[in-house]
């Protein structure tokens, strides 16, 4: 893996999603191979507003002609208190990334898809994804479309971070 500097920056999901009004992804290089990803989600419901943040270590992988991002959560306590045999608390998000100009499309791999659900090793998963990268059955139905947030709109990011008491 190596980073693509075009992915670095602040991205806002176009139009939100069914349950979420604002989704912002902050992507910054961690090193030459990985990113630090902050996923900010604001939901307005029943007259109130709830904002949450998830932190990930993320990396890109080329499989055939497609580029995938894998994001490993950093918001678990296993490393603070020791790893155990229960891996159910750990999760990764994997999705196909298509970047064109200031638009980023993300198609999440559906872990319940018959293509990957019974595969237990990285090698088997990678082979199945490579063979089926263009098969719609591999992905969740919804494609997330993000637009890069321009510098003149940085208040959108600042406001979300203030609600979370994150940043300076």
């Amino acid at each position: 893996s190596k980073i693509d500097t075009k992915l670095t920056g602040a991205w806002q999901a176009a139009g939100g999603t069914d349950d979420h009004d604002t989704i912002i992804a902050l992507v910054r290089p961690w090193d030459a191979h990985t990113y630090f990803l902050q996923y900010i989600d604001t939901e307005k419901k029943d007259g109130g507003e709830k904002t949450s943040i998830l932190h990930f270590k993320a990396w890109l992988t080329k499989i055939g002609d497609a580029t995938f991002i894998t994001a490993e959560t950093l918001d678990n306590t296993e490393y603070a208190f020791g790893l155990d045999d229960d891996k159910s608390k750990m999760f990764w998000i994997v999705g196909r990334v298509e970047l064109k100009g200031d638009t980023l499309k993300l198609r999440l791999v559906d872990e319940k898809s018959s293509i990957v659900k019974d595969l237990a090793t990285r090698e088997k998963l990678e082979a199945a994804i490579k063979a089926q990268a263009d098969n719609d059955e591999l992905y969740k139905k919804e494609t997330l479309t993000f637009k890069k947030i321009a510098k003149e709109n940085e208040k959108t990011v600042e406001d979300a971070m203030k609600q979370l008491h994150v940043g300076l």
Side-chain angles (χ1 to χ4, degrees):
S1 293
K2 64 179 183 175
I3 64 163
D4 179 348
T5 56
K6 291 181 244 154
L7 194 58
T8 300
W11 299 84
Q12 184 169 0
T17 66
D18 293 341
D19 299 324
H20 308 275
D21 294 306
T22 305
I23 296 173
I24 296 172
L26 302 176
V27 182
R28 66 187 67 141
W30 184 261
D31 57 31
H33 308 283
T34 59
Y35 301 95
F36 177 62
L37 167 64
Q38 292 173 289
Y39 186 89
I40 301 171
D41 182 354
T42 301
E43 179 181 12
K44 293 179 182 169
K45 193 174 187 179
D46 301 327
E49 186 173 280
K50 176 184 166 192
T51 301
S52 61
I53 188 167
L54 292 171
H55 303 91
F56 296 92
K57 175 182 177 183
W59 56 93
L60 298 176
T61 304
K62 287 285 280 181
I63 299 179
D65 294 331
T67 301
F68 289 82
I69 189 165
T70 302
E72 176 185 0
T73 182
L74 299 176
D75 294 322
N76 54 35
T77 58
E78 278 68 36
Y79 293 100
F81 302 106
L83 293 170
D84 58 30
D85 291 335
D86 181 10
K87 303 290 185 218
S88 67
K89 296 177 187 172
M90 300 189 62
F91 69 93
W92 292 261
I93 295 171
V94 179
R96 185 172 180 168
V97 174
E98 294 177 23
L99 181 60
K100 292 182 184 170
D102 69 346
T103 302
L104 172 71
K105 292 191 181 235
L106 176 64
R107 296 182 71 196
L108 296 175
V109 172
D110 185 353
E111 69 277 2
K112 296 176 185 169
S113 166
S114 62
I115 296 169
V116 296
K117 74 176 180 180
D118 294 324
L119 302 179
T121 67
R122 180 188 59 79
E123 293 81 10
K124 288 180 181 179
L125 285 165
E126 191 173 302
I129 291 171
K130 183 176 183 180
Q132 300 290 326
D134 293 324
N135 185 341
D136 288 338
E137 292 179 26
L138 178 62
Y139 305 99
K140 294 185 178 188
K141 290 187 190 320
E142 182 179 25
T143 297
L144 293 171
T145 301
F146 291 85
K147 292 287 188 181
K148 196 156 208 180
I149 299 173
K151 173 77 172 152
E152 59 266 15
N153 297 320
E154 72 180 300
K155 186 164 177 11
T156 303
V157 176
E158 290 172 352
D159 289 348
M161 292 180 82
K162 277 183 191 174
Q163 289 178 333
L164 294 162
H165 307 286
V166 174
L168 302 174

